[in-house]
Amino acid sequence: MKKRALITGITGQDGSYLAELLLGEGYEVVGMVRRSSTLNFERIAHIQDRLTLVAGDLLDEVSLIGLLKEHRPGEVYNLAAQSFVQTSWGQPVLTGETTALGVTRILDAIRMVDPEIRFYQASSSEMFGKVHEVPQNETTPFYPRSPYGVAKVYGHWITVNYRESYGLHASSGILFNHESPRRGLEFVTRKVTHAVARIACGIDEKLPLGNLDAHRDWGFAADYVRAMWLMVNQDTADDYVVATGSTHSVRELCELAFSHAGLDWQDHVVVDARYLRPAEVDLLVGDPAKAKAVLGWEPEVDFSGLVEMMVDADLALVRDGIR
């Protein structure tokens, strides 16, 4: 009998890559989407005919209970969230409702409908925020620096609590920044690579950015969803840091992206105070030793390969738009 998995947030970057992975492993994939007039199926258009898409909402526990009863998944991957740090400052309550309490609703639905369901929670390196140590691992204390980070800490700890209190197979992946050509344009990596393409094609001249000295541990999203799947299929549920273990500045990102298109980043990048965060996080770099040792997980795409892949994809996208 085929395994069946439910993915919340299937239309997002991670959801689309995870759906591809699970389909390749022979799963039936059910994707939860909100009823919305602005739904974007672009990231899953190439596999949409192989998916079962169902309406549900992390704000509505009754809809989650109904989904679990009707589709009976053996695995649930909770990737849905208000996932942009900057937006969480303007929408702190909504961020808390979806990114924090939404996790409780889906865990409670699992507890009531079928406690044998295996659950994955998308935790985040933003939980470390004002870091207590470098690099960060599974025992590093959390000190979030945004409403998004605070909400993710709640989601993380409620997952631990349901695992320990109810015996659920519930794992959290503390994922550091992971990018791809499917990343939203509001995220700095994609903002840079898309701007490079537009500048290379003569459409734009300048790229306004915030803190060029912010450092992040950036990996490839398709590598990171593989870690999610490995966690869910362990005998014992646990929490894992998923990262590359190396860090790069936004300045390095710009240098690499612009040079790949034959441009000098200093001719085009301007610092704009509007893009500075109210509270910046410190040096985020993960220690993935546990994920490597226990899960046998290794990232396959390095930083330069990731940036070049994204620039090439955006160049193709922008050139198609010009034609």
Side-chain angles (χ1 to χ4, degrees):
M1 188 172 156
K2 268 193 170 186
K3 284 188 171 183
R4 184 177 299 132
L6 171 69
I7 303 173
T8 74
I10 195 167
T11 59
Q13 169 191 257
D14 293 7
S16 67
Y17 281 113
L18 179 61
E20 283 178 352
L21 172 71
L22 295 178
L23 288 170
E25 294 291 338
Y27 280 66
E28 288 178 19
V29 179
V30 180
M32 188 182 90
V33 294
R34 280 175 303 147
R35 289 205 187 280
S36 165
S37 57
T38 57
L39 264 184
N40 181 359
F41 293 102
E42 186 183 332
R43 295 184 182 97
I44 56 170
H46 63 297
I47 52 172
Q48 198 169 332
D49 60 344
R50 299 170 63 196
L51 305 171
T52 302
L53 297 180
V54 295
D57 199 313
L58 290 181
L59 301 183
D60 182 6
E61 189 169 336
V62 173
S63 73
L64 301 174
I65 291 168
L67 281 185
L68 296 180
K69 283 183 173 176
E70 183 178 352
H71 296 281
R72 295 288 172 180
E75 299 170 12
V76 172
Y77 296 83
N78 183 39
L79 310 186
Q82 191 299 101
S83 61
F84 188 43
V85 174
Q86 197 75 32
T87 300
S88 78
W89 289 103
Q91 300 180 337
V93 176
L94 178 66
T95 300
E97 282 286 356
T98 55
T99 309
L101 290 177
V103 188
T104 313
R105 294 185 189 105
I106 198 158
L107 281 167
D108 218 41
I110 288 170
R111 179 181 68 83
M112 287 190 278
V113 175
D114 180 4
E116 294 302 309
I117 290 172
R118 295 186 170 210
F119 177 75
Y120 171 82
Q121 167 59 13
S123 289
S124 167
S125 60
E126 289 285 334
M127 300 189 304
F128 295 119
K130 192 173 182 179
V131 300
H132 287 242
E133 60 188 3
V134 179
Q136 296 88 50
N137 61 30
E138 292 80 7
T139 61
T140 302
F142 299 139
Y143 194 141
R145 298 272 279 169
S146 67
Y148 171 78
V150 172
K152 279 292 185 184
V153 169
Y154 178 100
H156 179 84
W157 280 117
I158 201 70
T159 301
V160 172
N161 272 261
Y162 269 66
R163 176 170 75 222
E164 294 179 351
S165 302
Y166 299 117
L168 297 186
H169 192 295
S171 297
S172 281
I174 305 172
L175 269 58
F176 281 66
N177 295 63
H178 47 290
E179 317 297 316
S180 75
R182 299 179 195 172
R183 196 47 141 162
L185 289 169
E186 68 271 27
F187 291 86
V188 70
T189 46
R190 184 72 196 291
K191 185 177 180 181
V192 169
T193 61
H194 194 252
V196 165
R198 288 177 64 85
I199 290 167
C201 292
I203 299 168
D204 292 336
E205 190 54 40
K206 297 294 179 186
L207 167 60
L209 289 174
N211 181 11
L212 299 182
D213 295 314
H215 280 69
R216 294 291 184 274
D217 182 333
W218 279 300
F220 178 40
D223 284 340
Y224 285 39
V225 301
R226 195 170 69 254
M228 300 175 186
W229 176 66
L230 289 168
M231 283 176 222
V232 167
N233 284 280
Q234 295 302 301
D235 289 340
T236 306
D238 206 347
D239 306 322
Y240 297 88
V241 163
V242 182
T244 69
S246 60
T247 185
H248 304 272
S249 67
V250 175
R251 184 177 277 102
E252 281 180 80
L253 167 65
C254 291
E255 287 172 4
L256 197 56
F258 278 91
S259 67
H260 187 62
L263 299 166
D264 184 342
W265 73 278
Q266 294 180 88
D267 295 337
H268 305 282
V269 173
V270 290
V271 174
D272 187 329
R274 287 179 302 166
Y275 297 105
L276 297 172
R277 290 185 185 182
E280 182 58 82
V281 301
D282 298 316
L283 183 57
L284 288 177
V285 53
D287 175 6
K290 181 177 172 182
K292 290 182 176 184
V294 179
L295 305 178
W297 176 82
E298 289 282 348
E300 294 176 2
V301 177
D302 65 8
F303 180 66
S304 59
L306 171 66
V307 175
E308 290 169 7
M309 173 204 306
M310 291 177 68
V311 170
D312 288 341
D314 275 326
L315 280 167
L317 197 68
V318 171
R319 284 171 183 150
D320 280 349
I322 291 172
R323 287 195 197 111

